Amino acid sequence: MAETGLFPIGSRCFLYQVDCPFDLNHQRRFWAMADAMAERDGVAEAVPGMTNLTLRFEKVPEDLDALERDLQRLWVEGRQKDLTGKILEIDITYGGSGGPHLREVCDLTGLNIDEVISLHTAPDYVVFAVGSHAGYCYLGGLDPRLETPRRKVPLQSLPGGSLSVAGLQTGVSASAGPSGWNTIGAADVSFFDPLSVPAALLMPGDSIRFRAAEVIA
Amino acid sequence: MTLEIVKPGLATSIQDLGRPGYFHLGIPEGGAMDRLALRAANLLVGNDEDAAGLEAVFLGPEIKFGAEMTVAVTGGEMPILLDGEPRDNWTSFNVMPGQTLSFGYLKAGARIYIAVSGGIATEPHLGSRSTYAIGALGGFDGRALAAGDVVPVGAAPLAEEGLSIPEALRRGPGKPAELRVLPGLYWHRLTEKSQAAFFDDAWTVAPEADRMGYRFRGGQPMEFVDREQPFGAGSDPSNIVDGCYSYGSIQVPGGLEPIVLHRDAVSGGGYFTLGAVISADMDLIGQLQPNAPVKFVRVDMEQALAARAERKQIIEQLRESLNQPG
């Protein structure tokens, strides 16, 4: 399990992670912490990850022990940020050339294609964090029966709109790029527009619902 | 004022010093892979150091100028030709409307930076003109330049011709390139043997080396300390619960080939990172070709900060070298 504490990524960039369950209530605490830390002097960015928070500072922070104590206090206070209530419905074509690993996921999970799709379209997924690439949403709520390992060798390039699963996570890629996840479908959706404010379509606290528009076995 | 791309080269793009501050939207900092070289090119033509210029990798573009301007080319070593006549790199020269800039074959390094007086003047996106091609953001329509593109250039007076950066300040990678690494986040997940091997092994740049990241091969596969698998991570020991990756982070999918994340890298993910190449050495990576030999050199925080201070001093010396009267 992840150890609780503040860990250096570089000299001005630190990760605060907590040994806590991977669920919505704990994630809502990281969102609230990110908002609180973003207000602080010297903090360039506070970015929620999955059960962690990355802090980027303008200068090398002088007192890391004090910083860690402050973060711990914020965590223990346990303030939670609410869901926004925004839900985006996305039509998915499961399988076919846009979902090359659907069969592999069936093999890995011992489920048939219909079962995988029915489990995958069942929940409303909450955006736990935004990152990886522009507008990409990390989602919570994947059924544990769909848990699969990440791929040993990441694919060099996968088109935008690819629906993938890995571990207890799922998501739709917002643009073409490399991926170490198992891709089971594709969608025609744009998560990112540089000319909009904010530029990302969804933010932590928004939700996504998947609909099986087509299944190519 | 404009310049026209006659031939685009391999992947020539508009870059400035990047757009920090959008990690929370999943957008990397972006910007020039060799920041020092872009700063130098801008200083030579009288621009602000963070003005936008052109970054060309491996193969130079061919450019026709639509107006009189001052030009400087820095970074990797590539013969410079103005209407077929040689010009010096790291040195300012003036061009006339209708003249054409072209390049010979790359002799050393990987990337050149072309600055023009007034700077490239495309519309900034999220505070920067840097091209982030994966997000179709910034630069020229969010993409690498293509033949026929007419690129706007800011209005500015001509700069002094023949200004030059002293040789001693033109830093390129050695052979092998020594990249200093600060062990970090998940260093403890490697066995002692693998920790030692990472710094002892001879690595080379893999063909998968671009603005997102540089992959290295040739070292031994890494061994991991046993752990209890965290919820969000896969069963592979190189997987972690997803978090941010910073610029310079070294991830090792499957424990096999380290990838140093560069300016256009994914902003986060679920592969463990063993540490980070210090910021002072990231420019060197931007000048590495595939198959170049590399050694990773271990440093502590104090040494990393000293290296950063030293690099700041080099930038200061660059500025001073150009401020000396004629």
Side-chain angles (χ1 to χ4, degrees), chain A residues 80-195:
Chain A
Q80 294 181 331
K81 192 175 177 185
D82 289 334
L83 293 182
T84 62
K86 177 172 170 180
I87 297 181
L88 179 74
E89 289 204 339
I90 301 177
D91 285 337
I92 300 289
T93 300
Y94 284 92
S97 60
H101 307 137
L102 181 59
R103 279 184 184 284
E104 223 173 301
V105 167
C106 290
D107 293 344
L108 288 165
T109 56
L111 301 166
N112 65 37
I113 287 180
D114 288 345
E115 289 165 334
V116 166
I117 293 169
S118 133
L119 288 175
H120 193 265
T121 50
D124 284 347
Y125 296 96
V126 175
V127 176
F128 273 25
V130 176
S132 175
H133 54 275
Y136 180 72
C137 299
Y138 281 99
L139 304 176
L142 184 71
D143 192 298
R145 282 168 286 182
L146 292 178
E147 182 172 353
T148 54
R150 284 177 167 77
R151 307 186 73 76
K152 276 216 162 67
V153 179
L155 295 186
Q156 277 283 111
S157 186
L158 200 65
S162 297
L163 169 70
S164 303
V165 292
L168 280 174
Q169 302 181 59
T170 187
V172 179
S173 63
S175 58
S179 169
W181 290 23
N182 301 300
T183 300
I184 60 172
D188 183 13
V189 58
S190 170
F191 288 99
F192 179 75
D193 175 2
L195 301 180

Side-chain angles (χ1 to χ4, degrees), chain B residues 14-26:
Chain B
I14 297 169
Q15 301 293 343
D16 56 20
L17 291 180
R19 55 171 68 76
Y22 294 96
F23 248 43
H24 64 289
L25 301 184

Side-chain angles (χ1 to χ4, degrees), chain A residues 19 45 50 55 59 61 79 101 112 114 129 149 151 160 167-168 198:
Chain A
D19 177 5
E45 276 198 274
M50 300 296 249
L55 299 169
K59 289 182 183 161
R79 206 161 62 79
H101 307 137
N112 65 37
D114 288 345
R151 307 186 73 76
L168 280 174

Side-chain angles (χ1 to χ4, degrees), chain A residues 11 22 45 132 134-135 138 150, chain B residues 23 25-26 231 242 266-267 308:
Chain A
S11 58
F22 175 53
E45 276 198 274
S132 175
Y138 281 99
R150 284 177 167 77
Chain B
F23 248 43
L25 301 184
F231 62 85
D242 285 53
V266 293
S267 72
R308 180 180 298 164

Side-chain angles (χ1 to χ4, degrees), chain B residues 36 90 164-172 314 317-318 321:
Chain B
L36 200 73
W90 299 89
S164 186
I165 302 282
E167 293 261 359
L169 297 178
R170 307 176 189 177
R171 185 171 169 237
I314 291 176
Q317 285 169 357
L318 271 182
S321 73

Side-chain angles (χ1 to χ4, degrees), chain A residues 65-82:
Chain A
D65 291 337
L67 176 66
E68 186 163 357
R69 279 197 301 276
D70 288 352
L71 286 161
Q72 204 179 350
R73 189 162 45 222
L74 275 174
W75 177 256
V76 172
E77 270 174 25
R79 206 161 62 79
Q80 294 181 331
K81 192 175 177 185
D82 289 334

